[in-house]
Amino acid sequence: MSVTIKDVAKKAGVSLSTVSLVINRKSHIAPETRKRVEDAIAELNYYPSRTARVLASKKTSNLGFILSDDHFSRAEPFYTKVFLGAEFEARQFHYYILLTTVPKNFREGSHIPRFLLERNVDGVIMAGHVPQALVDYVQNLELPIIFIDYSPGRGRFTSVFMDNEGGACAAVNHLIQLGHKEIAFLGGDKSHPSMIGRFQGYQRALQEHNLPLVPILVEDDDPETTLESGYSAAERLFKRGVQPTAIFACNDAMATGCMKYLKENNLKIPEDISIVGFDDIEQDVLLDPPLTTIRVQKEEMGAVALRRMVEMLEKKSSLIGQVLVPVELVVRKSTARAAGDRS
Amino acid sequence: MSVTIKDVAKKAGVSLSTVSLVINRKSHIAPETRKRVEDAIAELNYYPSRTARVLASKKTSNLGFILSDDHFSRAEPFYTKVFLGAEFEARQFHYYILLTTVPKNFREGSHIPRFLLERNVDGVIMAGHVPQALVDYVQNLELPIIFIDYSPGRGRFTSVFMDNEGGACAAVNHLIQLGHKEIAFLGGDKSHPSMIGRFQGYQRALQEHNLPLVPILVEDDDPETTLESGYSAAERLFKRGVQPTAIFACNDAMATGCMKYLKENNLKIPEDISIVGFDDIEQDVLLDPPLTTIRVQKEEMGAVALRRMVEMLEKKSSLIGQVLVPVELVVRKSTARAAGDRS
DNA sequence: GTGAAAGCGCTAACAT
DNA sequence: ATGTTAGCGCTTTCAC
């Protein structure tokens, strides 16, 4: 078979346990002994058998990553990138990630991820909306959990979010600095924490600049936040006879739908009206004009979650709470100085 | 700790190996003994330790799944779905899938997937274009490999493809049955095997119906197959003064670009001209009109690859060759009976 | 600081 | 058909 700890021990002229101690950096080993062992390892190109270590040490060095299937296969690869960020970070800590999906209508009695049944993970990361029944199941196993872009209704957990409020605030500040005073908010799905956060950011920016919150400029009754809802929300907004010089849309999909409406109604972007979105999806640069938006660091969200998990596992520090991943304003061509502004 | 094979043996009043034999369905066990063991397993809610099995049996029950990072995080979740299909299928065979990405510019000296260094997989599946250096590395490890939607230049391998030629042929047949006789081909990236296959399907369909291949109706000089190349290819085509009544575009992105050009030039779809694409990407239904296309079963491609891998592993049958996953015509609103046709 | 030895939970000959 | 036993490659007391 392949080279084992025994071979290393023999080559280095020490015992098995010494090699083990060197590998695991436990207790103190005489520098020269350590060197001999390390040389032997290098020469033999030795990699400890993960399986044997797991069996002997009672920790699996595996992490579960659970997503609902519809989230994962969405056209916008948000969660794919989150996973990528986590997987990349996991390499550093020598964890394997076992990725699996559960049906969005998961309930008691559904197929349970194998790595849970076999108790083959040290912890699990769940991204996006996951079924409560699954959360309960994992909790019963007493496995540490980290949520990404989600937090279950009951219980206290650690969750990683993007900075929705800060991002929205930055977006609206950008508009204000361009001289806009009549800034509409286009939103939807008011129950979603992200959407709530973004609306709060909108409010905060206005407030900080002593601009009034004009209810008639806020259009967020749609239950969805899609391209279509952006279009119809814009329609409803303008049918009210308002004349905003700028619009903050709660995400890029809605911004895109809104732009479609504006164009069809002969409003020039950004000459007549500026618009900024949120998310920085890939299509943004293909729009005409390219959309100013808030960039979300999806990979970083995954990486942060992974580091948090490792902390919980290794330092036993079970600090509970939210982690906010910073976002960033990306200025493209859909925003310009307000007409008539000469500040 | 948790319940072990020992507990089961004691409870069932048999030896360890009997339990092991029952679990692994090897040799024949008296039906009643088997029943006793199975009852004990059920009662104790016993799951064999995967780790211990791996250590004792020399097979990892893990499969590596490698993608290049840019493929995986594309906006169109093609490979995500392929992976999903493989992962889902893997559950049935009790394999874990270790998913990782490599940079597209991977070369000797790059970071090598950990599961390869640690020899912790029984085989590897690679999807999309993967670096030759990696392929060589895996081959040196003497691990079985299956490719999806790709096949390396040198060496003989098993690859899973979609049925490009059959799909293209079905698409063009559909047009012919609608009475079209002047059918243009819009393609690009002539070096890509998929594009070659699709052009062959176009040819075959014409041939089967005794229609001539008119070179001036073929426009495939663009090195890309994007929305933009679809637009410019259409432009070049029509600037030649031809008047096709239908167009087969080699993928939906090009079809979309082509539609944009047609609309700008006041050609009505499908009244004046029919168009069919290939891929069935999610945006198709949002187009105006919704695009008739060829559906590719992405999940099935992953599932097929996985089953093939399991066969290689378990039956040692190393049948080498291509596997074609069937595709399917999806008729929407972009195709209609040819004007003036009354068959 | 280093070595000896007892497992970790299972499989796989080999006996019976 | 079933039991006995020797590992698989490593970690981890416990001596020295």
Side-chain angles (χ1 to χ4, degrees), chain A residues 10-23:
Chain A
K10 202 189 301 171
K11 178 138 208 157
V14 297
S15 75
L16 292 195
S17 34
T18 304
V19 179
S20 176
L21 290 175
V22 169
I23 294 170

Side-chain angles (χ1 to χ4, degrees), chain A residues 50-51 54-55 72-73 75 80 83-84 87 91 94 96 98-101 111 114-115 118 120 228 282, chain B residues 50-51 54-55 72-73 75 80 83-84 87 91 94 96 98-101 114-115 118 120 282 286:
Chain A
R50 159 176 292 249
T51 311
V54 169
L55 186 58
F72 191 43
S73 56
T80 302
F83 168 80
L84 239 38
E87 198 273 334
R91 299 176 189 175
H94 301 188
Y96 284 172
L98 303 176
L99 171 61
T100 200
T101 55
H111 163 97
R114 212 176 170 71
F115 56 68
E118 296 175 337
N120 224 320
E228 290 75 16
E282 300 185 20
Chain B
R50 157 175 293 249
T51 310
V54 168
L55 186 57
F72 191 43
S73 54
T80 301
F83 168 80
L84 239 37
E87 197 272 334
R91 299 176 190 177
H94 301 188
Y96 283 173
L98 303 177
L99 171 60
T100 201
T101 55
R114 206 168 175 77
F115 56 69
E118 295 175 340
N120 225 319
E282 300 186 18
L286 297 177

Side-chain angles (χ1 to χ4, degrees), chain B residues 226-237:
Chain B
T226 61
L227 191 148
E228 288 76 15
S229 34
Y231 184 94
S232 58
E235 190 166 28
R236 265 174 276 132
L237 180 72

